[in-house]
Amino acid sequence: SSAVPHLVDAVYRQGRVEEALQMTERWPPERLTTPEDVDAHVGWRRVRAKAVARRGDLDASVGVVVSSRADAGGLQHAHEAGIETVVLSPRAFPSREAYDRALVVELERRRVEVVCLAGFMRLLTAGFVDAWRDRLINIHPSLLPKFPGLDTHKRALEAGETHAGCSVHFVRTEMDSGPLLVQAAVPVLPGDDEDRLAARVLQAEHRAYPLALSLVAAGRVRVAGEQALIDGQPGPVRLD
């Protein structure tokens, strides 16, 4: 019910992060079906994002969260987790190249080794992508190479797909391309609309992205040509 995320949020604020995370898994988005559950879904998404950000599963630390928008929700999550934040407004720079150069300065100042994109809705320049080759990771809400770009859930439904999902990959200059690290598939269920399918894919994203980051942080990934090798075996790792 719509009381669920409020209960989870209370548990989270008490510092019981793993317990909060487990609670969101017991009440996944597809179980939130009444009109009153609209707010519940927002709460579920917020609490789960916070909990994942604070988990200690990765052999890495978050050096900085950079946003192009001062009102991005991820900034508040970062503040609550004690992570430094930087806002770089595109309006403050004369060109995309100038913006990306400033972004590099912020990252190098903090000795960032891997850049993880999440909702960063800007096309990065070829210079930036090449400078961070095989250290720049993105997550996309489709099973690439299917449905790159926008409106992925709508397109999957219109195509009559039986499964959707998400892909974590190293970034290349072509949109939503590059060596695949992890893919997580979810079923497309009867009666699905874009919102229901998106909620199910989001749940898969919360499993796929941390796994991909843990593989990279542990040095278990190398790239041969345009193929990611995980422990020497061709990727991606597949979660079903």
Side-chain angles (χ1 to χ4, degrees):
S1 77
S2 57
V4 169
H6 302 294
L7 175 60
V8 177
D9 191 55
V11 172
Y12 171 84
R13 291 181 181 280
Q14 292 173 15
R16 295 146 59 190
V17 176
E18 286 299 326
E19 186 177 346
L21 189 58
Q22 291 168 9
M23 291 173 71
T24 64
E25 291 168 349
R26 290 201 299 272
W27 285 283
E30 56 265 30
R31 292 183 59 181
L32 306 178
T33 57
T34 68
E36 292 78 10
D37 285 337
V38 173
D39 288 339
H41 178 225
V42 173
W44 181 96
R45 180 170 179 163
R46 180 180 64 249
V47 171
R48 183 157 173 81
K50 291 177 184 177
V52 170
R54 286 187 50 179
R55 291 181 70 174
D57 299 347
L58 302 179
D59 184 20
S61 60
V62 181
V64 64
V65 172
V66 181
S67 175
S68 60
R69 294 176 46 186
D71 61 349
L75 295 175
Q76 182 61 34
H77 299 335
H79 284 308
E80 293 178 2
I83 299 169
E84 184 179 4
T85 63
V86 172
V87 176
L88 290 178
S89 172
R91 296 180 180 180
F93 300 90
S95 65
R96 290 172 56 212
E97 289 75 15
Y99 182 94
D100 284 3
R101 285 194 295 271
L103 184 55
V104 169
V105 169
E106 296 293 346
L107 297 173
E108 291 185 342
R109 179 180 297 164
R110 295 161 179 83
R111 300 183 180 180
V112 169
E113 298 178 276
V114 177
V115 177
C116 305
L117 303 177
F120 193 69
M121 302 300 288
R122 285 183 57 81
L123 289 177
L124 295 164
T125 60
F128 184 93
V129 172
D130 290 341
W132 291 88
R133 187 178 181 87
D134 298 339
R135 298 185 297 151
L136 179 61
I137 303 173
N138 183 50
I139 188 165
H140 181 74
S142 79
L143 297 174
L144 293 171
K146 291 185 177 182
F147 311 119
L150 301 176
D151 300 323
T152 56
H153 308 305
K154 178 182 179 182
R155 291 156 62 196
L157 290 169
E158 291 176 345
E161 297 288 324
T162 60
H163 286 79
C166 63
S167 304
V168 186
H169 62 98
F170 284 127
V171 175
R172 295 295 186 260
T173 52
E174 296 79 14
M175 181 183 293
D176 297 323
S177 67
L180 293 168
L181 299 169
V182 177
Q183 288 190 312
V186 301
V188 178
L189 301 179
D192 268 349
D193 58 17
E194 290 180 56
D195 290 339
R196 288 178 183 272
L197 183 56
R200 197 174 303 115
V201 171
L202 180 66
Q203 192 175 19
E205 291 178 15
H206 290 152
R207 294 188 294 129
Y209 218 160
L211 174 59
L213 298 181
S214 68
L215 293 171
V216 172
R220 296 171 58 188
V221 180
R222 67 182 180 89
V223 177
E226 285 299 288
Q227 173 78 63
L229 302 178
I230 317 294
D231 295 330
Q233 300 299 312
V237 174
R238 300 189 187 278
L239 303 176
D240 298 313

